[in-house]
Amino acid sequence: MRFTDKTIIASDITPKAVFENRRNLIKAAAAGSFGMALAPWFSREALANTPEKINAALNPTYASKEELTPYKYVTSYNNFYEFGTDKSDPAAYANTLQTRPWTVSIEGLVKKPVTLDIDDLLKLATMEERIYRMRCVEGWSMVIPWDGYSLSKLINKVEPLGSAKYVEFISLADPKQMPGVKSNIIQWPYREGLRMDEAMNPLTLLTFGLYGEVLPKQNGAPVRIVVPWKYGFKSAKSIVKIRFTEEMPKTSWSQFDAREYGFYSNVNPQVDHPRWSQASERRIGDTKGMFAPKIKTQMFNGYGDQVASMYAGMDLKKYY
Ligand SMILES: Nc1nc2c(c(=O)[nH]1)N[C@H]1C(S)=C(S)[C@@H](COP(=O)(O)O)O[C@H]1N2
Ligand SMILES: [Mo]
């Protein structure tokens, strides 16, 4: 059992305090400085299960001042169809995912294709913590401290050819570890993609952790993409392959229904999904619960300053 999600959150403290508290605890545990005065919820059994820490300093450029979504919600309200379609399925079933050994192969139109072991990929660049607003096309959102580094750092190492126009991200699809892969709701493996400039944008994060710890399996361990100005499904989880292509990649969701899920899928309050309005959103885990006011969704999820120029002159109703 993991102590961190249930036990700490069970006490009645604010998300910010939880965050700080968790970090101090991890530090204290690492330093071996726990004496007899353990908090009642922090059992010795729990101590043995301390999740692996990710060393990452908060990057002030990406430090949203919004209230953080409590760890409990970030790790229990998930979309990860490889483990089922209910929001609670990934937390319930992702424990079968084997995250070691794990390799990510980088291939296609690059000068230096390479297959990297996850532990080498982790060390490729300095890990940063970034607090990003995330919005799912279904109308809910969260504010999450992610740990990773800009995908551009990896891309620069493999030296894309001039002909590389897009980057494709491919998730693991192993029915032995992922029960959802036996059903054919979408085409497996889960595939997503970005245009080269989007992949190179400093905001696009190759992500290994959240809240200063390695990614929980339900959040896409051991490595995923996080693209905060696009709807959640663009952020592929548990990736095993990154491929550079000349043609726009076919993504699992646009193959499912191209009318519902475009390639770009930028957060855009003016362009509704056929089934869900995109004008406003519900913040998951808001302390005001069901009385929480709906939040207005912002263009590009509020990241327009960093990304709008990439779409200058593009009709975003057509290229949704
Ligand atoms: N491989 C894979 N990646 C995925 C998904 C998925 O089903 N499979 N769901 C996407 C969707 S729709 C969302 S909203 C986010 C959710 O990420 P989170 O659970 O960490 O918040 O993951 C995205 N990445
Ligand atoms: Mo989503």
Side-chain angles (χ1 to χ4, degrees):
M1 198 205 88
R2 300 197 29 157
F3 75 93
T4 39
D5 21 359
K6 299 189 182 72
T7 39
I8 298 184
I9 306 289
S11 63
D12 196 13
I13 39 182
T14 66
K16 182 80 178 13
V18 169
F19 188 25
E20 238 103 82
N21 206 9
R22 291 168 61 79
R23 310 200 104 187
N24 291 337
L25 276 172
I26 293 161
K27 263 191 236 150
S33 56
F34 280 118
M36 297 301 291
L38 288 179
W41 43 263
F42 196 81
S43 69
R44 302 219 166 256
E45 179 201 16
L47 195 60
N49 291 320
T50 301
E52 210 181 305
K53 193 191 166 187
I54 297 250
N55 266 310
L58 181 64
N59 181 334
T61 311
Y62 309 105
S64 161
K65 292 190 179 55
E66 288 172 275
E67 194 179 335
L68 298 179
T69 303
Y71 184 86
K72 176 175 78 169
Y73 294 101
V74 175
T75 58
S76 64
Y77 190 90
N78 304 102
N79 274 340
F80 198 170
Y81 278 24
E82 288 85 335
F83 296 101
T85 53
D86 283 354
K87 295 286 175 282
S88 57
D89 284 341
Y93 304 119
N95 57 312
T96 51
L97 179 67
Q98 296 299 314
T99 58
R100 293 291 188 288
W102 189 282
T103 56
V104 179
S105 96
I106 297 130
E107 52 186 61
L109 303 173
V110 293
K111 255 188 225 141
K112 298 178 172 167
V114 65
T115 297
L116 285 168
D117 186 85
I118 185 67
D119 292 309
D120 295 326
L121 191 59
L122 263 157
K123 286 178 239 146
L124 192 103
T126 308
M127 203 69 76
E128 295 172 21
E129 187 153 84
R130 298 182 180 186
I131 301 173
Y132 280 168
R133 209 175 295 121
M134 307 295 292
R135 190 193 187 286
C136 179
V137 72
E138 295 163 355
W140 48 271
S141 64
M142 301 193 194
V143 180
I144 304 176
W146 297 109
D147 304 297
Y149 53 78
S150 288
L151 176 66
S152 64
K153 302 248 167 90
L154 172 63
I155 295 180
N156 287 333
K157 298 249 195 260
V158 296
E159 298 181 30
L161 303 176
S163 51
K165 300 279 188 295
Y166 296 91
V167 190
E168 191 178 13
F169 305 98
I170 300 162
S171 299
L172 180 74
D174 179 0
K176 286 197 226 76
Q177 304 177 49
M178 300 169 139
V181 171
K182 289 175 197 133
S183 70
N184 50 6
I185 340 140
I186 59 168
Q187 290 187 29
W188 312 108
Y190 191 98
R191 273 178 295 128
E192 259 309 332
L194 294 172
R195 208 172 58 191
M196 193 61 127
D197 58 339
E198 300 176 321
M200 287 297 289
N201 188 284
L203 270 175
T204 302
L205 198 69
L206 192 64
T207 305
F208 302 87
L210 59 84
Y211 270 105
E213 297 167 3
V214 296
L215 282 171
K217 292 175 178 178
Q218 60 269 37
N219 293 92
V223 61
R224 67 176 292 175
I225 299 294
V226 172
V227 195
W229 73 95
K230 294 180 181 276
Y231 294 115
F233 60 88
K234 296 297 291 182
S235 296
K237 295 177 168 182
S238 303
I239 55 175
V240 291
K241 209 174 277 187
I242 300 177
R243 189 191 289 143
F244 293 75
T245 65
E246 185 155 15
E247 305 289 320
M248 182 182 281
K250 288 200 174 69
T251 71
S252 290
W253 283 111
S254 57
Q255 283 182 316
F256 174 82
D257 189 335
R259 272 178 49 258
E260 295 201 10
Y261 305 97
F263 177 82
Y264 287 96
S265 293
N266 292 313
V267 173
N268 187 342
Q270 283 144 35
V271 178
D272 281 339
H273 179 278
R275 286 182 285 143
W276 300 295
S277 163
Q278 302 302 325
S280 66
E281 65 203 56
R282 185 171 59 91
R283 192 53 59 81
I284 297 297
D286 189 294
T287 45
K288 291 181 272 324
M290 63 184 294
F291 302 107
K294 277 232 175 180
I295 300 167
K296 273 196 166 176
T297 291
Q298 299 176 65
M299 188 64 202
F300 298 118
N301 209 19
Y303 296 101
D305 287 352
Q306 290 109 302
V307 304
S309 62
M310 294 192 290
Y311 309 104
M314 261 177 85
D315 178 351
L316 295 177
K317 280 204 165 68
K318 187 170 171 211
Y319 298 103
Y320 53 93

